[in-house]
Amino acid sequence: MGELIVLRHGETEWSRDGRHTGLTDVPLTARGEEQARAVASLVAARTIVRAFTSPALRARRTAELAGLGSAEPDPDLWEWDYGGYEGLTSAEIRKERPGFYLWRDGVIPGDASHPGETVEQVGKRVDAVLDRVRPLLAQGDVALVAHGHVLRILTARWLGLGPDCGRLFALGTGTMSTLGTEHGHPVITSWNVAPLQPARRS
């Protein structure tokens, strides 16, 4: 039985600044590309039989730089659609909605390109991903390259928890985590692992 290799894409300007980045296709920063190259050392140590990526440029570029250039796009791995909160920070949202907490309060509808999703709707998307990849784990490891919130919700669903329990699993950019089983039960085998990166030259 293989493990599910979960990779969050590298840094973007919006992730760096804490902006809700759902369907907006923001590219990696230079640091984000460095993170993706660094995670390749972790990926290379695994026997990965299939790989899937969010269609977003930031995820596809991360997959490429991490050595998963053959990763197949899966639209169910897109990030949570934040609707009217797309591009805003939590601090900006709290000016209009004091005490705002995404996992409890959800999002408001946006424009036609950002209608918004509930956490339960994202949960159904990742359930579909898990239904497709579970049979592949009999052959070896399967890699998923995607986004912070969608991967946190996927992890909750892997563990049999409600999608809102994704709030429990903080996940940094350019990190690798692994989901597996112990005595036939789903577990987290590693979490939020950031590879060592070469020191910057002065």
Side-chain angles (χ1 to χ4, degrees):
M1 182 75 173
E3 291 188 319
L4 202 52
I5 311 301
V6 173
L7 300 173
R8 184 181 175 193
H9 65 73
E11 178 193 80
T12 68
E13 286 188 5
W14 281 22
S15 69
R16 180 195 63 204
D17 297 342
R19 299 192 176 278
H20 287 80
T21 318
L23 305 184
T24 304
D25 214 355
V26 183
L28 298 179
T29 61
R31 180 173 181 269
E33 295 211 347
E34 288 178 7
Q35 289 177 318
R37 290 188 186 95
V39 85
S41 62
L42 301 178
V43 170
R46 310 294 305 213
T47 303
I48 296 175
V49 296
R50 293 284 292 278
F52 301 91
T53 179
S54 160
L57 173 62
R58 57 193 183 274
R60 290 187 287 114
R61 180 63 172 157
T62 297
E64 176 188 358
L65 295 174
L68 297 169
S70 62
E72 304 165 48
D74 186 334
D76 285 330
L77 287 173
W78 265 107
E79 181 59 296
W80 191 338
D81 178 358
Y82 300 118
Y85 293 147
E86 183 77 5
L88 299 179
T89 66
S90 292
E92 288 170 336
I93 296 167
R94 289 187 189 111
K95 290 178 182 178
E96 300 294 327
R97 194 172 180 179
F100 168 78
Y101 181 51
L102 175 67
W103 295 98
R104 179 192 62 226
D105 301 323
V107 304
I108 59 173
D111 59 22
S113 299
H114 303 89
E117 285 181 294
T118 65
V119 68
E120 290 80 13
Q121 287 173 318
V122 184
K124 288 180 180 178
R125 283 202 282 117
V126 299
D127 282 349
V129 174
L130 291 174
D131 286 345
R132 290 193 290 271
V133 302
R134 278 192 182 98
L136 303 176
L137 294 172
Q139 306 165 30
D141 296 338
V142 175
L144 303 177
V145 186
H147 314 272
H149 281 136
V150 75
L151 291 175
R152 292 168 67 173
I153 295 168
L154 181 142
T155 298
R157 298 301 298 139
W158 174 265
L159 297 172
L161 303 173
D164 63 314
C165 289
R167 69 186 185 277
L168 303 173
F169 308 111
L171 189 61
T173 56
T175 57
M176 187 176 99
S177 305
T178 54
L179 307 177
T181 58
E182 183 181 61
H183 307 302
H185 296 281
V187 296
I188 296 173
T189 50
S190 69
W191 190 254
N192 208 30
V193 178
L196 294 175
Q197 297 186 42
R200 295 175 184 248
R201 295 180 181 177
S202 56

